[in-house]
């Protein structure tokens, strides 16, 4: 599926149209008529959607021919490249790829995006920054499409950060409100924390695989390239480096897709205009994390630890966000927490290995959540609410806003998981995944994670149904609670009106999607009845997304469906009892007030982060800012200048003209110089000159030297003025033998002092690539009669069985045994005595490791005794 | 055809500055137009360097004329893929900085233009000099006009800042001069002849201890210029006091000379010391990334904020440089250009608002997006470039540098302190967003809180023309960096392999000797070799 595929220019055009729209509207929008601005904005996305559909059709046709290799590719140009330490050059290509996964995502993005653009024409019609809005929105579409269509991590990362930028700009779209702008900044910074993880994860992957392309990474994961033991600071040796890489990537996902611990930006992001909330913060951008996990599903699935972390994080997020949503009063806030919670569902699905199910929920969620947000926008438009709408000031809107009401209701049914709506199918699959994990795995951790996920998600599903219908009932049933207001008070417009057609059409389309989108992914086996259904979704996704197989056991299927149905019924039922036609928050009266307040304050997580993370960092920054110009500057600027000034003052005082003082200084000087020469300075260095070893002593006036090259207490000669000595060392002079072992694969190296006893070489830490087959004894080495022996104890060197059991190494020579370099080196000690003209003597000794290639004389026996090792 | 391109490049600003001296100072318009014209001619001429073939290692357009024969001093200039882009950066940024200055410089126009032309001469000379003495002359020559620009046309505390700038840099230069004289003397002792020729001097191999000392002397001089923590405290003062044009040149070109000095002189001359001390400097760079970001975050003066962001960015460059692999060094050079473009543009933008309000305090602004939409747009674009958003130039540079650090000493890049440094440096990406968006928030978003700000004019034509080339470069480098990288890659590869050879040969020698550069199999070089010896040394 690489170079041979023909170039698909359409893929590039899909991205370029919205990009062009963004540039035109951004640069010239203020001079163009509004209708043209809107036309460019909506039109560019529509063209992009049509192109996406044609590409998808082409992909579909390809798929019919060859089910596994189907993909469309457009190679644009080479961006830049990295060079790995092994010399391999890794190009980073601007290349786009549409396969079954990115194809579906492209359709969601352009389709839902197009509808939301259309909606914005009506919704933003009164706004001053109309061209700016469409420019940002188009830029977002282009970035999101780069994210989806990018065929390698760096290209995806361009879109990944690009959507972050657009999110920042659009959250702070009404920048005159400082809080909104701050919310934008919070989103950007939280995303950046995640991006840091993606960046590091990317490097780890390319280090192992040697390519940035998703396809190559996945292929490497399937072939087990991530399995060898890797030394990773600071984790020690990890059994699979995929775990580390996946966890770093997942950090990125928690940022982009608003999971614990980085979810806090998403609720604040509702400061942006409602279409933005619908498009970016519900339907598309925030699902990018799930998309990334699916994209790299063969990699993620190799790491049980990473998968468990993802499942638990997803479940916890689903629960936490659902509890918060139960107590909120504002429409968009509730929907925002609902989005966080639903994203948690998606990650839980990914974590239990049901990638296709997680992505199916992305698909269905895009319809009903976009519809809900646009519905909320329609309500706010109707009652002239700004920013957000308090549901306790609404009510009874089903009469005035019939279209909005019906589409909203349908979407509520879908998100709650009422049978035969889209949410039912997707949520059911996720619970099935959790149940299947409990029964599939023998591993206790995995079973525990399965139970935790199943119970957590069921509870979250109950709450989902409950808070969504609380929202629905309080908004659309009962009496309109702002009817008596004059408009100037705290309430809303007393006479709500239905929205224009440009807003209603998207609602209807999305509402239809909320029901029917689910039929693409009907369950493999129907619960209770047990008959098989064709699941188009599962088959389609198989080509690019891996995952655990679906269970065939009816027990598992029935448990999952039963829980899903029960959760839905309990949730909707209790909301019906508590809130239908009511105007008060009944729940608030039934739970302890302080608990309710805590939940209403979002568990005060923001405050917690402020206290334990942001606060301390800010304090350090303040400290740095203050000390830099005082302490650091003082140390480097003011202290020297002070010293120079004071020294000058002191010295000028010495020049006082008193002869006695001068004389005293003279005497002190002479005495000091004499003292310095009284004892000789002894210093010894070893060096290799022209293949012979030289000992070099420090020079001095009138010095004489006496040498004891092996430090045995007997000097080899008398005093001489020669400060360079070239001794020859014999075996008896060797103090110690050190074995240096180095693995070129990781660059790690160790050395061991050898004795007559066997010393274990803990080569496991070195990632030598050697494998033990017969015993668990370590590889050992010792000195024996001046030879270095290495006993492999059954270690198998790359499958060769004819390796001798004992290998003898040559002193001072590097011996490569397969890829491992071993150098035994002798240590000797040399001593020199130095005498000066006063007859005083000083001594210096130095321990030296004889250098590479330096062979002590008379060591021919070292060589003779060594077999099978080349010199 | 013009021959002696490099000499012409040096001659044009020199002749230009002499002509400026001859124009009567009352003819301000003529001086302004003439000095810009000279710089544009210079820029057009420098474009010729792009079409020189750099695909094999070695210097191009070399010219050598004996100067002081008895001491072996010669006028020797040349370019290679390492200095090419720095020369072009200089010739491109200097006219922009001078052009932008004409909005705010009202007094002593003639002297200002003269200083700028002289400054351009000094900077270009330092980038093309291949003789250590010549380099030293240009290095010091640069100092004088910059000292004047800060001291004469600067802000309130300009004299303090100018003296501080001068003393700091001069202190480093003197250490470097001593070190230069030492190697020249050592070379004389071995060969019996004096020379300051860089290519000859790099064949000199010194034992480890003198290498450490000499490298440290060079390193102090260059680290002050970079500036590397903790030698950075002159920078905020100099930037805050300098006029806009001076700040632009200071950030865009002058700081680069520090890094360039490491690449061209300190590292080839003292490979063992670079290999041993380098990681420490990279570590200080990483510390500077975070330290600079923290300090920038709490600044209330916008210009000081940008100055500290320079400390942070230059830390990245040090990290990439001492990673000693292709993407690290190329990334460092590319990031030098990026920093020149982005930070230069940021200082221009600071100048824009300072000209209007005579204040740079963040507290004095807010809501400017409403009043000055184009200004806000330009500021946000440059901000994104500064924080390394993909698609802009900053991303490519930072990505290559982080990739360089990550793969500096091993295949997977893990298990060494380079992994820790990469992690810490990557957090700098987060903090960059924090402090830059903090500035954007305080400047542009919210309501207009000060009445004076309500009627500020948007970018005028001069300011727009100064900024547009920089914005184009932001996206050009961001989207198609190969245009720039392809020219430097062969030189970078040669730099690394030469370094490895010299490192291997001069390791463990006990007295100075001359290198035999052909003695080592090129196959054995590369970062693998370096990694091997580093591990052994531990």
């Amino acid at each position: 599926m690489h170079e041979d595929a023909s170039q698909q220019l359409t893929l590039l055009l899909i991205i370029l149209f919205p990009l062009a729209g963004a540039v035109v509207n951004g640069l010239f929008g203020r001079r163009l008529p509004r209708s043209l601005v809107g036309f460019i904005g909506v039109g560019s996305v529509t063209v992009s959607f049509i192109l996406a559909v044609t590409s998808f059709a082409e992909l579909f046709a390809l798929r019919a021919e060859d089910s596994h290799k189907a993909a469309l590719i457009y190679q644009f140009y080479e961006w830049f490249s990295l060079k790995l330490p092994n010399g391999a050059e890794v190009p980073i290509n601007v290349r786009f790829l549409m396969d079954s996964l990115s194809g579906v995502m492209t359709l969601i993005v352009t389709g839902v995006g197009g509808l939301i653009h259309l909606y914005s024409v009506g919704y933003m019609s009164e706004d001053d920054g109309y061209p700016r809005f469409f420019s940002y929105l188009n830029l977002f579409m282009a970035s999101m499409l780069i994210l989806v269509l990018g065929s390698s991590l760096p290209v995806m990362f361009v879109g990944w950060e690009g959507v972050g930028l657009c999110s920042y700009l659009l959250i702070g779209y009404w920048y005159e409100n400082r809080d909104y702008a701050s919310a934008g900044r919070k989103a950007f910074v939280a995303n950046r924390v995640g991006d840091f993880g993606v960046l590091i994860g990317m490097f780890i992957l390319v280090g192992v695989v040697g390519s940035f392309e998703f396809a190559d990474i996945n292929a490497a994961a399937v072939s087990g390239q991530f399995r060898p033991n890797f030394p990773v600071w600071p984790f020690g040796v990890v059994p699979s480096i995929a775990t580390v890489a996946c966890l770093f990537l997942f950090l990125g996902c928690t940022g982009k897709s608003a999971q614990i611990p980085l979810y806090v930006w998403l609720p604040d992001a509702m400061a942006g205009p409602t279409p933005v909330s619908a498009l970016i913060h519900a339907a598309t951008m925030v699902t990018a994390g799930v998309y990334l996990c699916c994209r790299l599903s063969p990699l993620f699935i190799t790491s049980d630890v990473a998968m468990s972390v993802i499942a638990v994080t997803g479940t916890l997020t689903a629960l936490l966000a659902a509890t918060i949503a139960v107590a909120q009063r504002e429409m968009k806030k509730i929907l925002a927490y609902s989005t966080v919670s639903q994203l948690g569902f998606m990650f839980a699905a990914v974590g239990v290995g049901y990638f296709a199910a997680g992505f199916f929920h992305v698909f269905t969620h895009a319809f009903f959540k976009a519809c809900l947000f646009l519905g909320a926008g329609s309500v706010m438009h109707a009652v002239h609410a700004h920013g957000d709408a308090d549901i306790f000031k609404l009510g009874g809107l089903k009469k005035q806003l019939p279209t909005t009401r019906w589409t909203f209701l349908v979407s509520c049914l879908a998100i709650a998981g009422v049978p035969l709506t889209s949410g039912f199918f997707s949520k059911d699959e996720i619970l099935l995944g959790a149940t299947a994990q409990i029964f599939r795995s023998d591993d206790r951790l995995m079973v525990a994670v399965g139970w935790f996920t199943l119970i957590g998600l069921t509870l979250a599903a109950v709450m989902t149904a409950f808070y969504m219908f609380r929202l629905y009932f309080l908004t659309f049933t009962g009496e309109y609670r702002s009817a008596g207001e004059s408009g100037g008070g705290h309430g809303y417009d007393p006479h709500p009106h239905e929205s224009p057609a440009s807003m209603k059409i998207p609602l209807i389309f999305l509402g239809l999607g909320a029901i029917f989108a689910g039929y693409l992914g009907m369950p493999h086996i129907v619960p209770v009845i047990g008959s098989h259904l064709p699941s188009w979704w599962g088959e389609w996704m198989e080509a690019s997304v891996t995952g655990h197989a679906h269970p065939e056991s009816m027990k598992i299927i029935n448990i999952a469906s039963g829980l899903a149905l029960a959760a839905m019924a309990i949730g909707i039922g209790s909301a019906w009892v508590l809130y239908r036609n009511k105007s008060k928050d009944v729940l608030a009266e039934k739970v302890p007030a302080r608990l309710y307040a805590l939940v209403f304050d979002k568990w005060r997580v923001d405050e917690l982060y402020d206290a334990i993370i942001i606060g301390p960092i800010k304090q350090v920054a303040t400290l740095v800012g203050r000390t830099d110009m005082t302490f650091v500057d003082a140390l480097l600027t003011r202290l020297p200048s002070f010293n120079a000034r004071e020294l000058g003052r002191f010295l000028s005082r010495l020049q006082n003209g008193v002869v006695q003082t001068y004389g005293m200084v003279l005497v002190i000087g002479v005495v000091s110089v004499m003292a310095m020469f009284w004892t000789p300075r002894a210093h010894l260095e070893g060096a290799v000159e022209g293949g012979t070893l030289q000992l070099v002593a420090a020079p001095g006036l009138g010095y004489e030297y006496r040498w004891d090259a092996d430090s045995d207490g007997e000097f080899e000669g008398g005093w001489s003025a020669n400060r360079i000595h070239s001794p020859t060392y014999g075996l008896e002079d060797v103090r110690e033998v050190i074995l240096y072992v180095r693995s070129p694969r990781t660059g790690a190296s160790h050395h061991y002092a050898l004795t007559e006893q066997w010393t274990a070489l803990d080569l496991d830490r070195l990632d030598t690539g050697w494998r033990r087959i017969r015993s668990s004894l370590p590889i050992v080495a010792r000195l024996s009669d001046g030879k270095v022996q290495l006993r492999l104890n059954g270690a198998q060197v790359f499958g060769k069985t004819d390796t001798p059991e004992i290998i003898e190494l040559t002193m001072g020579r590097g011996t490569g045994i397969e890829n491992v370099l071993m150098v035994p080196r002798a240590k000797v000690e040399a001593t020199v005595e130095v005498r000066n003209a006063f007859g005083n003597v000083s001594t210096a000794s130095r321990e030296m490791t004889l250098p590479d290639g330096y062979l002590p004389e008379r060591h021919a026996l070292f060589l003779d005794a060594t077999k099978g090792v080349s010199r | 055809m013009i021959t002696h391109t490099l000499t012409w490049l040096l001659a044009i600003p020199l002749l230009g500055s002499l002509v400026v001296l001859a124009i009567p100072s009352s003819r301000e318009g003529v001086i302004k137009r003439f000095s810009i014209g000279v710089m544009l001619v210079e820029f057009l001429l420098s474009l010729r360097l792009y079409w020189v073939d750099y695909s094999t290692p070695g210097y191009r357009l070399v010219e050598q004329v004996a100067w002081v024969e008895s001491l072996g001093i010669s006028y020797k200039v040349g370019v290679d893929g390492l200095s090419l882009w720095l020369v072009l950066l200089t010739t491109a940024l200097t006219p922009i900085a001078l052009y932008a200055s004409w909005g705010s410089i009202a007094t002593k126009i003639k002297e200002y233009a003269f200083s700028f032309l002289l400054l351009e001469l000094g900077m270009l000379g330092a980038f093309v000099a291949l003789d250590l003495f010549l380099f030293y002359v240009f290095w010091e020559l640069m100092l004088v006009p910059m000292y004047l620009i800060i001291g004469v046309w600067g802000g309130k505390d300009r004299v303090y800042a100018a003296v501080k700038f001068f003393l700091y840099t001069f202190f480093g230069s003197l250490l470097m001069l001593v070190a230069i004289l030492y190697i020249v003397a050592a070379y004389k002792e071995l060969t019996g002849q004096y020379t300051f020729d860089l290519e000859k001097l790099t064949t000199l191999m010194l034992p480890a201890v003198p290498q450490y000392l000499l490298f440290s002397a060079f390193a102090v001089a260059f680290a002050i210029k970079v500036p590397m923590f903790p030698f950075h405290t002159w920078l905020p003062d100099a930037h805050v006091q300098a006029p806009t044009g001076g700040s632009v040149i200071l950030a865009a070109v002058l700081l680069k000379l520090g890094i360039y000095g490491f690449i061209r002189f300190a590292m080839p001359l003292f490979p063992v010391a670079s290999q041993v001390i380098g990681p420490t400097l990279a570590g200080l760079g990483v510390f500077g990334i975070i330290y600079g970001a923290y300090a920038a975050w709490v600044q209330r003066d916008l210009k000081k904020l940008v100055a500290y962001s320079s400390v942070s960015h230059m830390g990245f460059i040090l990290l990439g440089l001492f990673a000693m692999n292709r993407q690290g060094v190329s990334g460092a050079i590319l990031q030098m250009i990026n920093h020149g473009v982005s930070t230069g543009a940021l200082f221009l933008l600071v100048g824009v608002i300072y000209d209007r309000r005579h204040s740079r305090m963040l507290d004095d602004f807010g809501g400017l997006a409403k009043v000055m939409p184009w200004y806000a747009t330009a500021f946000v674009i440059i901000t994104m470039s500064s924080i390394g958003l993909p698609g802009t130039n900053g991303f490519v540079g930072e990505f290559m540098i982080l990739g360089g650090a990550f793969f500096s000493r091993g295949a997977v890049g893990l298990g060494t302190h380079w992994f820790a440094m990469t992690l810490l440096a990557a957090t700098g990406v987060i903090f960059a967003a924090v402090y830059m968006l903090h500035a954007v928030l305080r400047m542009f978003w919210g309501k207009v809180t000060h009445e004076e700000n309500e009627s500020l004019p948007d970018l005028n034509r001069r300011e727009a023309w100064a900024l547009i080339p920089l914005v184009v470069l932001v996206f050009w480098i961001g989207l198609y960096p190969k245009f720039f990288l392809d020219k430097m890659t062969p030189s970078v590869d040669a730099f690394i392999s030469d370094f490895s050879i010299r490192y291997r040969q001069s390791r463990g020698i006990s007295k100075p000797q001359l290198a035999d550069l052909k003695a080592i199999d090129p196959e054995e070089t590369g970062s693998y070799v370096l990694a091997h010896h580093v591990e052994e040394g531990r």
Side-chain angles (χ1 to χ4, degrees), chain B residues 5-136:
Chain B
T5 312
L6 293 179
T7 303
W8 275 111
L9 274 182
L10 297 178
I12 290 173
L14 183 65
L15 297 174
S17 65
L18 295 178
V19 174
V20 163
L21 281 187
I23 304 176
S25 35
S26 55
R27 311 276 306 268
E28 291 185 352
V30 177
I31 294 174
K32 285 181 182 179
R33 259 170 283 151
F34 176 76
S35 51
I36 295 284
V38 168
M39 286 180 180
L40 286 179
V41 170
E42 173 87 349
F43 173 64
L44 291 177
L45 179 65
S46 69
L47 288 181
R48 278 173 57 91
L49 299 187
Y50 174 79
W51 279 278
V52 177
D53 176 26
Y54 299 96
S55 57
T56 51
Y59 299 108
R60 299 289 181 278
L61 305 177
V62 177
E63 293 167 46
Q64 187 164 18
V65 180
W67 183 6
V68 185
E69 233 163 318
S70 58
L71 289 177
I73 298 172
S74 64
Y75 167 85
K76 183 176 181 189
V77 292
V79 283
D80 64 356
L82 302 176
S83 52
L84 162 71
W85 293 111
L86 294 166
V87 171
L88 289 179
L89 180 75
T90 310
T91 56
L93 264 289
T94 323
I96 291 178
L98 186 64
Y99 184 53
S101 300
W102 295 144
S104 50
I105 300 297
T107 55
K108 306 196 181 80
I109 299 283
K110 178 170 154 178
E111 289 79 0
Y112 192 80
F114 176 73
S115 303
F116 247 75
L117 285 163
L118 215 56
L119 186 59
E120 183 169 26
L121 168 68
M123 294 186 299
L124 285 175
F127 281 131
V128 297
L130 294 179
D131 181 280
L132 281 169
F133 190 83
L134 190 68
F135 171 73
Y136 187 77

Side-chain angles (χ1 to χ4, degrees), chain A residues 233-250:
Chain A
W233 182 91
F235 308 101
V237 174
V238 294
S240 161
I241 198 153
T243 306
V244 184
C246 289
L247 288 177
F248 272 114
L249 289 177
F250 182 61

Side-chain angles (χ1 to χ4, degrees), chain B residues 316-374:
Chain B
F316 267 106
I317 299 176
L318 278 171
L319 176 67
L321 179 60
F322 287 105
M324 276 313 284
N325 49 23
R326 186 199 282 176
Q327 61 266 27
V329 176
S330 308
I333 296 174
L334 191 70
Q335 190 68 357
M336 283 201 257
I337 305 165
N338 293 341
H339 178 262
V341 170
S342 312
T343 309
L346 275 177
F347 278 118
L348 283 182
L349 289 163
V350 175
V352 166
I353 196 69
Y354 185 74
D355 288 348
R356 284 162 178 61
R357 283 279 277 111
H358 296 285
S359 167
R360 292 179 301 248
M361 290 298 169
L362 291 175
D363 291 339
D364 289 342
F365 301 109
L368 291 184
K370 187 92 182 163
V371 190
M372 306 167 73
W374 286 114

Side-chain angles (χ1 to χ4, degrees), chain B residues 243-260:
Chain B
T244 300
S247 282
V248 172
I249 287 298
L250 186 59
V253 186
L254 246 61
L255 304 189
K256 309 303 172 310
L257 275 152
I259 301 285
Y260 177 76

